[in-house]
């Protein structure tokens, strides 16, 4: 993001007013931010709400602090004016003029509460949308925004970036306007990579890229002043220094924390004796049970993160921990088609540019979602599968007479499961075959629709779903008892 003025979609109409004024706040609400995020990020409803509220409250805080500053300035000015009058009319009966600092101190006794910031930690499996969520927030906001990958950070004085890089980037995104940068948002991505070595399995006497960085970040989160130097001039010979106070910068940390589930489970299982019940004789005996709609990450607590290798002082300064949950097959299906910039929309558009209409049948999309899920890399896997699946088509079609391409379930399934010679090829149709193309598309979709209706009717009538033995009891899930 460049430029410090509000420029995101939520601020389009307010682009000429400075940041944090009432007029641009009128367009802003947690609901509006969440609605914008919904266009790009599928599922993860709770995390989207957390971020929407955090960002909104950040605006309010900024507003609150600006108002206080304005009131102080006004108060100071008016006292200064009366001071001047007093000085102009010497009168024995008037009290001697107070030093100016007195007025500042008095103005500071504003009794409106100062809103404190609420830093956020997003955690959840790889490819579940953590980085995407914050990148999308960056697009919508008009505040300076910087995203830093913690993997490259080292303690000051060692090769690598020290934590001041966060402020350097933030300041650059605020066009070197210190006052604006001081109300910016810094995202510390991949922060789990800073976990202490004991946890990540290597040892070193001095942990310059883990704990050392966490300590440095701690100071920044607490509120410190960072001096940033900017080189300017054609040969970079001029150096300008900027001092940024980090007190009001909102920090969002995000990381996958691979293996954290085990730590949570271990902790909760210890409680098991008093709080959890397992179903005797079930395969899951000895493991703890959760309500069926819950996920183990929902039970994360500060102690789990410290056990993982984060220092308690740092985690303690992040009041809001929000887990992103693994994506389901249904989420994956929506991710392929729904986001404004979905992978499907991108391919359809690029094919249209060379005059070809590309369509996937619904079962083909379902097969695609399933395969992506099986890769275990979240939605990140989709891009690769799609690129490989459409490579030949993309290679051949730009100079052919084909006008329509249909990818069916069989094409996806055989592509994923068999070697190249056994793969089904997508269907190609020429200019005059639009009807045939649409008919083929509709017929696979209709068959799928009919199968769906059939299975729903079976479910409603209480008949067994294929492959499931009716006599076998469904594993009972026992709730979380505190
Ligand atoms: N919830 C989602 N909605 C829409 N697209 C998603 C979602 N999650 C992931 N994606 C897609 O997958 C890609 C990778 O996701 P992202 O970079 O946000 O993963 P991450 O959670 O940050 O993972 P990691 O921990 O590995 O960094 C995104 O660019 C996006 O295309
Ligand atoms: Mg990421």
């Amino acid at each position: 993001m460049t430029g410090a003025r509000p420029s995101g979609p939520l601020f389009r109409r307010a682009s000429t007013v400075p940041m944090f004024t009432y007029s641009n706040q009128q367009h802003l609400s947690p609901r509006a931010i969440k609605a914008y995020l919904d266009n790009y990020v599928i599922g993860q409803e709770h995390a989207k709400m957390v971020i929407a509220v955090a960002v909104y409250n950040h605006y309010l805080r900024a507003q609150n602090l600006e108002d206080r500053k304005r009131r102080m300035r006004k108060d100071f000015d008016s006292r200064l004016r009366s001071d001047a009058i007093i000085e102009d009319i010497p009168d024995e009966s008037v009290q001697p003029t107070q030093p100016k600092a007195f007025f500042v101190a008095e103005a500071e006794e504003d009794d409106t509460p100062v809103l404190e910031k609420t830093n956020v930690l997003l955690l959840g499996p790889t490819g579940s949308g953590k980085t995407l969520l914050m990148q999308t927030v960056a697009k919508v906001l008009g505040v300076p925004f910087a995203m830093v990958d913690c993997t490259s950070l080292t303690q000051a004085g060692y090769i690598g970036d020290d934590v001041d890089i966060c402020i350097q980037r933030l300041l650059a995104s605020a066009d070197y306007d210190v006052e604006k940068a001081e109300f910016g948002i810094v995202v510390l991505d991949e922060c789990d990579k800073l976990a202490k070595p004991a946890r990540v399995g290597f040892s070193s006497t001095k942990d310059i890229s883990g704990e050392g960085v966490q300590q440095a970040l701690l100071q920044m989160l607490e509120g410190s002043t960072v001096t940033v130097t900017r080189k300017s001039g054609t040969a970079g010979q001029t150096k300008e220094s900027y001092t940024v106070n980090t007190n009001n910068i909102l920090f969002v940390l995000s990381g996958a924390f691979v293996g954290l589930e085990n730590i949570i489970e271990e902790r909760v299982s210890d409680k098991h004796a008093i709080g959890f019940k397992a179903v005797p004789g079930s395969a899951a005996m000895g493991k703890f049970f959760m309500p069926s709609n819950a996920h183990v990450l929902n039970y994360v607590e500060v102690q789990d993160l410290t056990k993982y290798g984060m220092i308690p002082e740092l985690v303690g300064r992040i009041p809001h921990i929000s887990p992103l949950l693994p994506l389901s097959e249904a989420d994956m299906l929506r991710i392929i088609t729904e986001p404004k910039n979905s992978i499907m929309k991108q391919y359809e558009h690029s094919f249209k540019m060379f005059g070809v209409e590309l369509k996937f049948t619904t079962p083909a999309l379902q097969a695609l979602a399933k395969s992506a899920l099986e890769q275990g890399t979240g939605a990140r896997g989709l891009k690769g599968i799609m690129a490989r699946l459409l490579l030949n088509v993309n290679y051949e079609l730009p100079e052919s007479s084909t006008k329509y391409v249909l990818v069916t379930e069989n094409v996806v399934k055989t592509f994923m499961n068999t070697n190249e010679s056994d793969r089904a090829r997508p269907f190609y149709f020429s200019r005059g075959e639009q009807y045939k193309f649409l008919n083929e598309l509709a017929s696979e979709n209709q068959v799928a629709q009919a199968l769906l209706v059939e299975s729903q009717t079976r479910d409603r009538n209480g008949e067994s779903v294929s492959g499931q033995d009716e006599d076998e009891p469904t594993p009972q899930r026992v709730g979380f008892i505190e």
Side-chain angles (χ1 to χ4, degrees):
M1 271 204 45
T2 54
R5 275 205 174 145
S7 56
L10 287 181
F11 299 102
R12 209 162 274 146
R13 284 200 288 147
S15 60
T16 51
V17 297
M19 276 195 302
F20 309 132
T21 64
Y22 285 118
S23 53
N24 67 27
Q25 212 182 75
Q26 278 163 12
H27 305 286
L28 192 69
S29 72
R31 214 178 272 279
I33 300 171
K34 161 102 172 28
Y36 182 80
L37 293 174
D38 286 341
N39 290 327
Y40 297 90
V41 183
I42 299 297
Q44 313 299 11
E45 300 299 316
H46 184 256
K48 284 189 284 192
M49 262 176 73
V50 167
I51 290 298
V53 168
V55 164
Y56 180 70
N57 286 353
H58 184 60
Y59 272 89
L60 292 189
R61 285 181 54 249
Q63 180 73 68
N64 171 266
L65 285 164
E66 272 220 340
D67 285 353
R68 287 172 70 89
K69 245 198 256 169
R70 207 176 305 128
R71 273 200 303 275
M72 272 169 59
R73 220 174 282 139
K74 213 167 132 193
D75 198 17
F76 178 73
D77 285 350
S78 68
R79 282 167 190 263
L80 209 59
R81 265 198 302 279
S82 60
D83 198 16
I85 296 166
I86 292 164
E87 278 173 356
D88 284 346
I89 317 161
D91 182 341
E92 296 299 319
S93 65
V94 174
Q95 291 291 311
T97 318
Q98 297 282 358
K100 292 191 172 71
F102 167 82
F103 296 117
V104 178
E106 202 173 60
E108 273 169 1
E109 280 171 24
D110 188 333
D111 57 5
T112 52
V114 177
L115 305 176
E116 287 179 3
K117 65 179 171 185
T118 309
N119 298 320
V120 178
L121 168 63
L122 298 175
L123 53 87
T126 184
S128 59
K130 301 179 295 294
T131 304
L132 175 73
L133 187 57
M134 293 318 296
Q135 280 168 341
T136 312
V137 165
K139 273 193 275 176
V140 73
L141 289 180
V143 286
F145 186 96
M147 195 173 229
V148 175
D149 187 334
C150 292
T151 6
S152 63
L153 297 181
T154 50
Q155 216 172 304
Y158 292 86
I159 294 174
D161 294 323
D162 67 59
V163 296
D164 292 359
I165 188 93
C166 309
I167 306 304
Q168 208 162 346
R169 292 211 185 138
L170 193 64
L171 197 57
S173 104
D175 277 345
Y176 291 86
D177 181 328
V178 172
E179 222 174 304
K180 282 175 181 156
E182 286 179 341
F183 283 108
I185 298 178
V186 170
V187 177
L188 298 161
D189 207 8
E190 311 279 343
C191 70
D192 51 328
K193 307 300 181 299
L194 302 176
K196 283 192 265 184
R199 195 63 223 171
V200 289
F202 63 90
S203 65
S204 128
T205 42
K206 205 160 186 327
D207 180 19
I208 52 138
S209 60
E211 192 176 353
V213 177
Q214 289 193 54
Q215 294 286 359
L217 284 176
L218 175 64
Q219 287 175 17
M220 204 175 269
L221 258 73
E222 264 286 76
S224 57
T225 47
V226 174
T227 305
V228 170
T229 314
R230 178 197 193 186
K231 286 184 188 152
S232 55
T234 40
Q237 72 282 41
T238 329
K239 282 187 180 166
E240 293 164 24
S241 284
Y242 301 84
T243 304
V244 180
N245 185 325
T246 65
N247 255 329
N248 295 312
I249 294 172
L250 180 71
F251 289 90
V252 177
L253 281 77
S254 106
F257 291 90
V258 176
L260 185 68
E261 285 100 327
N262 299 338
I263 296 176
I264 303 171
E265 267 195 41
E266 244 170 57
R267 174 176 57 80
V268 184
S269 300
D270 284 347
K271 271 191 180 179
H272 177 193
I274 48 163
F276 290 90
K277 281 198 271 173
V279 182
S282 79
M285 180 69 181
K287 285 197 121 196
F288 81 97
F289 289 84
M290 294 177 299
S292 55
N293 59 350
H295 187 272
V296 67
L297 283 180
N298 284 324
Y299 295 88
V300 66
E301 281 179 15
V302 167
Q303 51 190 300
D304 304 318
L305 292 162
T306 53
K307 198 161 179 198
Y308 189 89
M310 303 306 283
I311 59 171
E313 303 90 320
L314 184 68
V315 188
R317 276 165 183 81
I318 309 165
H320 214 137
I321 302 173
S322 174
L324 277 82
L325 303 183
L327 298 165
S328 66
E329 205 175 304
D331 289 332
M332 204 69 97
L333 189 59
R334 290 181 58 203
I335 289 172
I336 301 173
T337 53
E338 272 183 37
K340 276 201 167 166
N341 202 33
S342 78
I343 189 90
M344 192 76 232
K345 287 179 185 155
Q346 290 183 40
Y347 271 101
E348 278 175 0
H349 185 74
S350 76
F351 273 52
K352 203 183 259 174
M353 285 172 76
F354 53 77
V356 171
E357 191 174 337
L358 170 73
K359 286 270 178 264
F360 279 66
T361 64
T362 309
L365 293 174
Q366 281 160 344
L368 208 57
K370 196 160 181 263
S371 315
L373 208 63
E374 280 164 5
Q375 292 207 340
T377 52
R380 193 173 277 121
L382 278 174
K383 210 179 263 179
I385 297 180
M386 202 72 149
R388 280 179 276 128
L389 183 72
L390 295 175
L391 178 71
N392 283 343
V393 186
N394 208 159
Y395 182 74
E396 291 165 1
L397 294 197
E399 48 187 11
S400 81
S401 60
T402 301
K403 287 284 161 232
Y404 307 98
V405 178
L406 185 66
V407 181
T408 58
E409 182 183 22
N410 197 30
V411 174
V412 179
K413 280 192 168 167
T414 57
F415 177 80
M416 302 311 302
N417 298 336
T418 52
N419 55 32
E420 205 162 339
S421 55
D422 298 330
R423 287 177 190 166
R425 288 173 59 83
F427 291 86
Y428 290 2
F429 302 90
S430 58
R431 184 178 294 280
E433 294 181 316
Q434 189 187 30
Y435 175 78
K436 229 169 133 185
F437 162 67
L438 293 175
N439 198 34
E440 204 70 52
L441 171 69
S443 94
E444 185 159 296
N445 286 350
Q446 264 164 21
V447 171
Q449 183 63 27
L451 285 173
L452 185 70
V453 172
E454 197 184 303
S455 84
Q456 279 168 344
T457 320
R458 259 207 318 264
D459 280 356
R460 261 201 304 276
N461 296 339
E463 292 167 34
S464 72
V465 180
S466 65
Q468 191 175 326
D469 187 347
E470 266 187 284
D471 295 334
E472 192 182 297
T474 333
Q476 191 188 341
R477 304 212 138 194
V478 182
F480 189 80
I481 310 157
E482 278 297 326

